[in-house]
Amino acid sequence: MLTHPQPATTETARLRRFLRRWILRVAWSTALVFVTIVIGGALDARRRLPDLQPWHRIIPRDLRAADLTASSTLAGYLAIEDAAFRTVRERIEDRLDPAWKLPANRYNRDAASHWSRLGTDWNRTQVLSPTGALVGGALLVHGLTDAPYSMRSIAEDLRGRGYQVVALRVPGHGTVPAGLTDVRWEDWLAAVRIAARDLRAQIGADKPLVLVGYSNGGALVLKYALDAIDGSGDPQAARIVLLSPMIGVPKFAWLARVISLLGPLPVFEKARWLDVYPEYNPFKYNSFPANAGLQTWRLTTTLQAQIARITESGRSRELPPVLTFHSLVDATVSTPAVVHALYDVIADERSEVVIFDINRSSGLVPFIQPDDAALVSRLTDASARRYRRTLITNVDPSSLDVVERTVAPGATIVDVRPLELAWPRDVYSLSHVAIPFPISDPVYGREEGGNVPPTIRLGLLSPRGERAVLSVPSDTLMRLTWNPFFPYLSVRTAAWVTPASHVPARSSR
């Protein structure tokens, strides 16, 4: 006896076939887009980027997170560091092609951009001991593609105030840009943990340990402090100072890894790089590998999730007080992320964020992106916050002089204090790379007088001329590299980390 399929059963079968076809089409489309991005990115890099040099290919052996044990010491890490720099000396500097013996090549020992012009190799970890009584210990961690030199002024200031200072070089940095092609953020954190343990052992249990992190280093010291709350067993800090901390990066930073997938193939080796420029900066890489972008994305997403989790568990007060300095406009990291993903989530009345506004009297405000010009109103609105907020801004739009405008935790009233500091007329904002450098810095500062070493003076450059002449983008050379308000940052940092110190009183005006 013949039977006919029921209408409902037939309709279900049709729906299943439709869904299978739809899922298959989506999968093929996704695969096609993925392959297009990978191949397109590799071809674009091969066409767009200049030829790679030894410093883009040779990877010195450096610390890996797997090397970290309970018995790891800073001396052991410094031995690994010595070997990495020996590789640079023997395989790159000693064999430098005559074509690259240029006056602005950091690997040319006779160049103005070689570290030796300053006498001390601040690409390496620096341990600075106070000449007087020991007050405490300070661990300073630099930013991405950077070196301990970016912490030099703060390190010397804290040493002068009685701190045993370790200005740490994190793995992959200070040597060659290729060092960042296979490093992971876990390797960076392993070095921070080793240095913090060693510093605690040096200063003893009764002295305060403070952490200072710049950019990516800010994310690392914050991650270290959160891990201590989560039971890592590492010594917790008494205070934290963050300079332009990397709390958030562009959402699509992870795509850098996708684009670089063909990098291991010799014909597509340039795919591992987002930028390839001459290495003229003695203490910072100019070339940027895709892996570096991927690691910052991995670190910041992990960090934000941990901040939220610790807050939800009611342990936010276990985080040491945090003082942050940040430029309102920052092309490298997200200013809103600092406020909304860090301070609005976990900070309390013990912490403070200081934001440097744009120069409202520069004459260039009409040319600033409207969203950037209006950003300050969204970050410093009249609502009460749990933490202290400070804005460094013009007295008024007609004056270059600046004031400190502060709102206390839980308050809405603004206290105003003059600072006896002013914007330079030709500067319209700070930059991400300017925050930790005083105007007197011999490489990144702008002072022309005094006993300045015969080194490359990047802070003096303000190129104007014909286009397509320079070997690097002119906007890179014109980016502000020194902070006109560094004296304020220095005084506030010293007051913040000093034992039993209190936030200075503000006066209204």
Side-chain angles (χ1 to χ4, degrees):
M1 179 176 174
L2 295 176
T3 60
H4 298 282
Q6 297 297 317
T9 303
T10 303
E11 188 63 29
T12 300
R14 290 175 180 171
L15 180 60
R16 287 174 177 172
R17 288 194 297 271
F18 171 78
L19 288 176
R20 282 197 295 268
R21 287 196 299 269
W22 184 83
I23 292 172
L24 186 61
R25 289 172 182 172
V26 170
W28 275 108
S29 298
T30 302
L32 181 62
V33 170
F34 180 82
V35 171
T36 300
I37 291 175
V38 172
I39 296 178
L43 291 173
D44 177 69
R46 187 180 181 190
R47 173 193 60 81
R48 176 177 55 88
L49 299 178
D51 292 340
L52 302 184
Q53 301 303 320
W55 44 89
H56 299 118
R57 296 188 175 106
I58 296 173
I59 304 175
R61 170 73 172 90
D62 218 324
L63 178 77
R64 294 294 180 259
D67 301 330
L68 178 66
T69 67
S71 60
S72 297
T73 64
L74 184 60
Y77 176 59
L78 295 182
I80 296 173
E81 185 175 274
D82 284 342
F85 280 90
R86 186 163 55 251
T87 297
V88 175
R89 183 175 66 253
E90 295 175 352
R91 298 187 60 188
I92 295 179
E93 292 186 350
D94 289 350
R95 305 178 188 179
L96 191 63
D97 190 293
W100 282 101
K101 291 187 176 181
L102 305 173
N105 181 357
R106 65 179 286 174
Y107 301 110
N108 175 15
R109 294 194 186 104
D110 297 323
S113 56
H114 193 263
W115 65 263
S116 59
R117 294 296 184 101
L118 292 176
T120 299
D121 189 358
W122 277 86
N123 286 300
R124 295 174 178 245
T125 297
Q126 299 295 315
V127 179
L128 309 179
S129 299
T131 56
L134 178 66
V135 171
L139 175 58
L140 280 53
V141 186
H142 62 79
L144 187 67
T145 74
D146 218 336
Y149 185 85
S150 62
M151 310 304 290
R152 172 175 171 262
S153 294
I154 295 174
E156 293 178 343
D157 184 42
L158 291 177
R159 172 172 63 172
R161 297 177 185 274
Y163 281 86
Q164 176 76 10
V165 176
V166 175
L168 180 70
R169 180 201 69 95
V170 298
H173 292 78
T175 53
V176 290
L180 292 179
T181 58
D182 70 342
V183 73
R184 295 167 62 87
W185 73 261
E186 291 89 348
D187 305 327
W188 302 334
L189 185 62
V192 173
R193 296 182 65 189
I194 290 172
R197 293 177 190 172
D198 191 89
L199 189 54
R200 170 53 74 194
Q202 290 182 53
I203 65 175
D206 61 329
K207 297 289 193 301
L209 171 66
V210 299
L211 306 176
V212 183
Y214 166 48
S215 188
N216 191 59
L220 289 172
V221 300
L222 190 58
K223 183 71 174 68
Y224 170 91
L226 294 174
D227 285 351
I229 295 173
D230 273 338
S232 67
D234 294 314
Q236 184 58 283
R239 294 273 173 128
I240 297 174
V241 178
L242 305 178
L243 314 175
S244 303
M246 189 174 284
I247 306 300
V249 294
K251 294 181 180 179
F252 296 104
W254 60 272
L255 275 175
R257 180 58 176 169
V258 175
I259 294 173
S260 66
L261 284 177
L262 294 181
L265 300 178
V267 69
F268 287 127
E269 63 174 346
K270 294 180 184 179
R272 302 179 74 179
W273 297 86
L274 299 183
D275 291 311
V276 174
Y277 290 123
E279 296 300 324
Y280 59 84
N281 194 321
F283 301 110
K284 185 178 180 66
Y285 304 147
N286 298 313
S287 303
F288 192 83
N291 181 62
L294 172 66
Q295 297 309 316
T296 61
W297 176 80
R298 292 185 59 236
L299 173 57
T300 55
T301 52
T302 301
L303 183 63
Q304 289 189 27
Q306 190 174 18
I307 289 171
R309 177 172 52 77
I310 286 178
T311 301
E312 290 170 0
S313 67
R315 293 178 293 157
S316 60
R317 290 196 70 84
E318 296 179 37
L319 182 70
V322 181
L323 172 64
T324 297
F325 298 95
H326 207 285
S327 175
L328 177 70
V329 288
D330 190 314
T332 302
V333 301
S334 169
T335 304
V338 172
V339 175
H340 301 313
L342 174 60
Y343 273 80
D344 284 350
V345 176
I346 200 170
D348 55 36
E349 75 281 356
R350 302 169 300 151
S351 295
E352 178 178 359
V353 59
V354 178
I355 294 179
F356 297 101
D357 196 7
I358 61 176
N359 181 2
R360 303 286 169 173
S361 185
S362 67
L364 291 171
V365 172
F367 301 98
I368 292 175
Q369 299 285 352
D371 287 347
D372 288 331
L375 183 60
V376 70
S377 63
R378 300 202 300 271
L379 299 181
T380 60
D381 57 42
S383 61
R385 308 280 179 93
R386 293 190 303 271
Y387 52 89
R388 184 180 297 272
R389 294 171 288 161
T390 295
L391 178 68
I392 308 302
T393 188
N394 300 76
V395 172
D396 58 59
S398 65
S399 174
L400 293 171
D401 294 332
V402 298
V403 295
E404 175 194 68
R405 299 175 60 86
T406 300
V407 180
T412 58
I413 298 174
V414 178
D415 291 332
V416 182
R417 183 168 69 104
L419 294 180
E420 298 183 355
L421 293 170
W423 281 102
R425 186 169 296 278
D426 60 337
V427 173
Y428 59 86
S429 77
L430 294 188
S431 74
H432 181 79
V433 299
I435 294 289
F437 298 107
I439 192 173
S440 60
D441 187 89
V443 176
Y444 303 112
R446 192 165 76 169
E447 284 187 351
E448 298 192 55
N451 186 22
V452 179
T455 186
I456 190 168
R457 303 297 309 281
L458 299 176
L460 289 174
L461 301 180
S462 183
R464 298 181 68 87
E466 185 55 276
R467 61 184 180 181
V469 174
L470 302 176
S471 59
V472 295
S474 59
D475 60 344
T476 298
L477 297 177
M478 293 182 68
R479 195 178 189 187
L480 187 69
T481 57
W482 50 275
N483 183 356
F485 311 120
F486 185 85
Y488 172 84
L489 182 151
S490 177
V491 170
R492 289 297 318 278
T493 297
W496 187 261
V497 302
T498 300
S501 66
H502 300 281
V503 177
R506 268 71 170 179
S507 59
S508 299
R509 191 179 76 171

